[in-house]
Amino acid sequence: MMGVVPGVVHPHGERLAGPLFAVIGIVVLAVCTIWAAGDHVGAVTLVVAGLSAAWLLLLVPLFPRRAQHPWLAVGFFAGLLAGVAALTTLDTTYTAFASIGYPIAFVLFAARWSIFAVTATAVVPLLAKGIWGADTPTPAWVFVVSVVGPMLYAAWFVGAENDKRRRANAALAEANARLETALEENAGLQAQLLTQAREAGVHDERQRMAREIHDTLAQGLTGIVTQLQAADRASSAESRQRHLTQVHTLAKDSLTEARRAVQALRPEPLTDSRLPEALAELARRVTDTSGVAVTAETSGEPVPLLPELEVTLYRVAQEALANAEKHARASRIAVSLTYTGDVVLLDVRDDGAGFDPASPACGDGTGFGLQAMRQRVRRVAGMFVLESAPGEGTAVNVQLPAIPADR
């Protein structure tokens, strides 16, 4: 309803404003009383003047709380006007004291309500004097104070409001300038981010193609070369034909995987089979092509996972088996897939020659096969652990979040 006029009293002067206006009012009241004393002021007048002075002191605790308690401000102002009316009726000298109501009205109420308070300040003393007051002349200085005082305060008030408005406009212009600068910088940053995102997308696509080629064409061609070398060394036509049949199968599978890699599709074994069955088929195929005994086991309750998770697990198993077949000279390889509810675990262990993971060629991930596995697992927020030692075989452990495919 009613509240403080923003900007009329500076926040840092909030504590002093109440005492200041109270002191000014009491000083004006004292001057009027001293002037009226020459006309033998009666006891009633002194009592009313004392009560009015005491009432003005209530402005000290009220002023900081005027916005939170507007009705207390209304009550205070009504009491002040009552004192002004009574004193003006008793002696016209106190007309000068009535002028204190103008500045108090402006600072005590919001602008739209202060108009009513100012009007009451002007009307109430005139009515009181006209109805109950004695017909005595008003001193000239009282007339000057009553007219000039409010005019000076009104001029100061308008000047303060104009200064506040100019400061607000200057601050707004400065804020607009800062905003325009920020928008220009933001546009530049956005363009830079778009360029970086485009470059990152190109880099990721190149990495994906490199991994897919390594996991499909490179491994397929390696298998073909191995089978051709075995066919050349075959001691019988039946053995030679068996190796050539494997070459035909590997070439066909490699061609299919190459096409799917270009189209960014899932590996063919995962298209028509679930992950456990695809790993079992992969183990069987490696056994057939390499002669290494490969077993694949699944524990827990298998659930269809997000395609990217299943592709990651399949490709890591594929790479680990290829490494064990080509480099480890293993006689046995075990593939284990475990579903534990929140996570899915993949372990590929062999009894091959092993190696030192801290060696420059392996420990820093410069070997493309190990690097590809790490990158795949990292992209799906998984954990990749490689354990190996010379003569003790190798173990690849992968842990991924088991996010169902239908989520």
Side-chain angles (χ1 to χ4, degrees), residues 5-8 157-170:
V5 180
V8 173
F157 178 81
V158 171
E161 285 295 302
N162 289 336
D163 290 341
K164 182 185 71 173
R165 194 171 293 108
R166 281 194 295 269
R167 289 193 298 268
N169 291 337

Side-chain angles (χ1 to χ4, degrees), residues 210-235:
R211 286 192 298 269
E212 294 297 338
I213 291 173
H214 178 271
D215 292 342
T216 56
L217 294 180
Q219 293 182 11
L221 292 174
T222 300
I224 290 173
V225 171
T226 302
Q227 293 301 316
L228 288 174
Q229 291 173 345
D232 290 339
R233 296 190 301 266
S235 57

Side-chain angles (χ1 to χ4, degrees), residues 55-60 62 71-81 104 108:
W55 189 261
L56 278 172
L57 292 176
L58 296 178
L59 186 61
V60 177
L62 171 64
W71 288 110
L72 290 181
V74 172
F76 168 81
F77 200 77
L80 177 63
L81 289 181
I104 292 180
L108 199 60

